[in-house]
């Protein structure tokens, strides 16, 4: 086996897969090392909502940019990726949330992201299974959904077509100073190492401000026509925002098969490998969902699972160089890594190749955060 | 068989067609008697009862508006509305 590469990508989640493709396409000799199967981490656990999200201007810039890259890629995606531009409806329960709808509309429109206000009747018409009456919503028509592990598989396949080597079933035990060491003792030489191991990234790059944040999802049997858009409650940001404590939010996605994917929960958990299902939080998710879709609890669920988001204190990913000139990061994507994988990979490759970037990289540079853990109180300011 | 011995017959509809079955028949049996499959898989394959004891979920159909009902566990009732899915 060749042991010398221009770039060694650690982790074949959707982020590592996208980075591998960008680097290989630029002519680099690339290896991707994955301990398990492609997309087996957060990528398999995630919802696959490709969404423009406006938690902060930098978040909207990266999600908007990435979403446009998905739109451009979509005609090439194989059917297994189940890409479906179904749009998002942000659901408002009361007039206070309708104010938020109008704020969001103005913000999205200013950023060139198409959106449209739905009044109470238009919302009920668009989604007849929602509770009535609800105040209305914001339709973002060009958001999409996809099946993340197959998307990661497709990106890896394309990287391989551009000459990348996939090292599957190999655990990386150290990665620094231009050398990646595998558990079986193999040493790979790399000019560039990209740590894309998601919530496990601090194990290989100590001191990173990345914490595992557990999330649960429920998938139902097939109910074609039950749901037409991805629905998210406007209170979602409150849930996603809270840096401490457990929270749930109504978030439901139509799959191409007619199945519904019901989310979502957020919990900080000390053990990032413990994926056991917490039935208390699942019950809270279903209760929350029933407020919006009273019929949901009577549908039959097939499976419940959990996974870990890689959370950073400022809710933005870590993309770019570290103090070790050979080590680069592509992690910390929290609940948006499926969406932002393509933008992340493009920004990183642009940086590595000194190409101009489409959006500024600065907000995502790892150097913005001191490299040690802050307490939750400090994070909250 | 004498008139007295004949089990009671009940009328149901399967995919909007009226069908007569013996009382005590399961919905899965009624669907089979009608020459239909309970449902079609994601990839378009026909599906029908496998375990007949409520654990494999292969025999699902929509019964009285409730999708994914396990038909091997349901007895036919007069005027029952059954739809294969
Ligand atoms: C419940 C839930 C819902 C979500 N919903 C959405 C959504 O709707 N939209 C969205 O955009 N995002 C969503 N996300 C977030 C998204 O899933 C993640 O941000 C994304 O999958 C991160 O991808 P990744 O490649 O960085 O990490 P991962 O997919 O975790 O990949 C890391 C890979 O590295 C490998 N690895 C780790 N350590 C090593 C090692 N030492 N050696 C070799 N390999 C290693 C792992 O096996 C893994 O395959 C959701 C997440 C969760 C948990
Ligand atoms: S045949 Fe197995 S559940 Fe009905």
């Amino acid at each position: 086996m060749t042991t010398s590469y221009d770039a060694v990508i650690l982790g074949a989640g959707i982020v590592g897969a996208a980075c591998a493709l960008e680097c290989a396409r630029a002519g680099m000799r690339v290896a991707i090392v994955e301990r398990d199967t492609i997309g087996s981490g957060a990528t398999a656990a995630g919802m696959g909502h490709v969404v423009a999200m406006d938690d902060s201007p930098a978040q909207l810039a990266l999600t908007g940019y990435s979403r446009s890259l998905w739109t451009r890629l979509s005609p090439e995606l194989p059917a297994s990726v189940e890409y479906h531009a179904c749009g998002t409806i942000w659901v408002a329960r009361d007039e206070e949330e309708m104010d938020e709808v109008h704020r969001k509309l103005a913000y999205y429109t200013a950023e060139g992201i198409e959106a449209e206000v739905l009044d109470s009747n238009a919302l009920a018409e668009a989604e007849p299974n929602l509770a009535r009456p609800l105040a209305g919503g914001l339709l973002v028509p060009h958001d999409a959904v996809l099946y993340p592990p197959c998307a990661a598989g497709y990106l890896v396949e394309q990287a391989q077509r551009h000459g990348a080597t996939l090292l599957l079933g190999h655990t990386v035990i150290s990665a620094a100073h231009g050398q990646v060491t595998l558990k079986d003792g193999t040493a790979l030489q790399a000019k560039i190492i990209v740590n894309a191991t998601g919530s496990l990234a601090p194990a290989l790059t100590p001191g990173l401000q990345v914490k595992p944040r557990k999330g649960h999802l429920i998938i139902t049997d097939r109910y074609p026509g039950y749901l037409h858009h991805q629905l998210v409650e406007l209170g979602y940001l409150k849930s996603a925002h809270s840096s401490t404590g457990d929270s749930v939010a109504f978030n439901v996605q139509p799959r191409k098969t007619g199945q519904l994917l019901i989310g979502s929960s957020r919990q900080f958990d000390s053990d990032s490998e413990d994926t056991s299902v917490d039935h208390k939080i699942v019950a809270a998710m279903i209760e929350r969902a029933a407020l919006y879709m009273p019929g949901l609890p009577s549908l039959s669920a097939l499976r419940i699972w959990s996974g870990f988001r890689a959370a950073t204190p400022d809710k933005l990913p870590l993309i770019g160089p570290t103090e070790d000139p050979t080590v680069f990061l592509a992690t910390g994507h929290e609940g948006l890594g499926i969406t932002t994988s393509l933008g992340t990979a493009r920004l990183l490759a642009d940086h590595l190749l000194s190409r101009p970037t489409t959006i500024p990289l600065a907000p995502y540079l790892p150097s913005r955060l001191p490299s040690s853990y802050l307490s939750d109180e400090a994070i909250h300011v | 068989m004498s008139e007295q011995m004949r089990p009671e017959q009940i009328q149901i509809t399967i995919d909007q067609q009226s069908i007569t079955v013996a009382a005590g028949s399961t919905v899965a049996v009624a669907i089979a008697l009608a020459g239909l499959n309970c449902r079609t898989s994601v990839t378009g394959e026909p599906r029908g009862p496998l375990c007949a004891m409520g654990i494999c979920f292969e025999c699902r159909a929509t019964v009285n508006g409730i999708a994914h009902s396990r038909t091997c566990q349901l007895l036919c009732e007069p005027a029952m509305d059954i739809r294969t899915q």
Side-chain angles (χ1 to χ4, degrees):
Chain A
M1 158 166 90
T2 314
T3 55
S4 180
Y5 296 93
D6 293 325
V8 174
I9 317 290
L10 317 181
I14 198 158
V15 173
C19 291
L21 175 54
E22 283 289 348
C23 290
R25 192 152 48 193
M28 295 187 208
R29 272 175 307 125
V30 173
I32 320 160
V33 190
E34 168 57 49
R35 63 173 185 174
D36 201 331
T37 55
I38 297 169
S40 54
T43 298
M47 227 183 186
H49 185 201
V50 175
V51 55
M53 189 85 96
D54 62 339
D55 205 3
S56 64
Q59 190 185 71
L60 189 58
L62 185 59
T63 53
Y65 175 48
S66 299
R67 198 188 69 162
S68 70
L69 295 176
W70 278 114
T71 307
R72 220 175 302 158
L73 185 64
S74 61
E76 278 176 41
L77 297 171
S80 62
V81 175
E82 296 181 16
Y83 181 92
H84 174 36
C86 61
T88 304
I89 300 176
W90 296 86
V91 180
R93 291 175 72 196
D94 50 32
E95 286 314 312
E96 194 189 334
E97 290 188 353
M98 276 313 274
D99 292 344
E100 173 63 11
V101 161
H102 288 284
R103 186 206 61 79
K104 220 171 160 72
L105 172 73
Y107 193 22
Y108 278 38
T109 309
E111 293 300 316
I113 289 164
E114 207 178 299
E116 171 189 333
V117 175
L118 304 180
D119 65 15
S120 185
N121 287 335
L123 177 66
E125 213 170 287
E127 293 295 348
N129 285 308
L130 274 173
R132 283 178 222 193
L134 291 170
L138 186 71
L139 169 66
V140 184
H142 302 308
D143 283 352
V145 303
L146 54 75
Y147 185 53
C150 287
Y154 172 76
L155 296 171
V156 168
E157 221 176 84
Q158 293 303 304
Q160 287 176 291
R161 280 192 47 199
H162 286 89
T165 303
L166 174 63
L167 302 172
L168 219 48
H170 290 281
T171 300
V172 175
I173 55 169
S174 76
H177 311 302
Q179 181 166 312
V180 174
T181 308
L182 309 182
K183 204 172 171 186
D184 67 6
T186 309
L188 309 174
Q189 308 307 316
K191 293 187 189 124
I192 292 158
I193 297 167
V194 179
N195 184 350
T197 55
S199 63
L200 296 169
L204 296 171
T205 311
L208 288 188
Q209 290 198 52
V210 170
K211 282 190 183 184
R213 202 174 190 196
K214 195 171 187 173
H216 289 79
L217 291 177
I218 302 165
I219 187 119
T220 71
D221 217 321
R222 288 181 284 151
Y223 296 91
Y226 196 92
L227 179 71
H228 306 284
H229 305 81
Q230 173 119 12
L231 305 181
V232 190
E233 68 162 285
L234 269 168
Y236 172 85
L237 281 180
K238 286 175 223 150
S239 155
H241 256 160
S242 99
S243 284
T244 51
D246 299 349
S247 62
V248 295
F250 169 64
N251 189 344
V252 58
Q253 175 178 103
R255 305 293 318 158
K256 259 194 173 165
T257 51
Q259 291 175 286
L260 308 184
L261 199 46
I262 306 169
S264 59
S265 68
R266 284 184 147 75
Q267 295 168 285
F268 278 112
D269 205 302
S270 50
D271 181 0
S272 71
E273 307 264 356
D274 175 16
T275 53
S276 61
V277 168
D278 175 344
H279 289 280
K280 244 180 29 217
I281 200 106
V282 171
M285 276 163 60
I286 295 170
E287 203 177 307
R288 187 83 199 158
L291 276 180
Y292 290 84
M293 284 204 140
L296 273 188
S298 65
L299 305 188
S300 83
L302 292 182
R303 207 159 73 83
I304 303 172
W305 67 88
S306 80
F308 290 95
R309 308 173 181 92
T312 61
D314 61 2
K315 318 284 185 292
L316 293 172
L318 301 167
I319 309 169
T322 63
E323 279 160 23
D324 179 334
T326 64
V327 175
F328 295 78
L329 300 178
T331 181
H333 295 80
E334 222 272 0
L336 288 169
I338 306 303
T339 305
T340 54
S341 55
L342 295 188
T344 295
R346 184 66 60 87
L347 284 175
L348 184 68
D350 288 344
H351 174 81
L352 294 172
L353 297 158
S354 307
R355 298 186 303 213
T357 57
T358 306
I359 60 169
L361 174 63
Y364 324 109
L365 284 173
S367 57
R368 74 183 186 275
L369 299 171
S371 77
S372 67
Y373 268 85
L374 296 176
S375 75
D376 278 337
E377 279 68 34
I379 287 168
H380 217 63
V381 291
Chain B
M1 194 164 25
S2 76
E3 267 312 298
Q4 288 86 336
M5 295 275 296
R6 233 185 121 205
E8 188 197 337
Q9 301 291 301
I10 57 178
Q11 194 93 3
I12 57 171
T13 61
I14 304 183
D15 292 346
Q16 282 155 315
Q17 289 206 6
S18 188
I19 283 170
T20 305
V21 293
S25 305
T26 63
V27 175
V29 162
I31 292 172
L33 285 173
L36 297 167
N37 298 302
C38 292
R39 63 190 185 93
T40 308
S41 78
V42 176
T43 51
E45 291 172 4
R47 290 284 194 267
L50 178 70
C51 71
M53 58 192 215
I55 58 167
C56 75
F57 284 72
E58 288 295 338
C59 64
R60 285 166 291 149
T62 301
V63 178
N64 288 340
I66 300 174
H68 305 294
S69 299
R70 279 166 289 169
T71 58
C72 71
Q73 299 299 299
L74 284 174
L75 296 183
C76 290
E77 285 166 14
M80 203 174 228
D81 177 18
I82 299 159
R83 289 165 203 246
T84 60
Q85 49 179 47

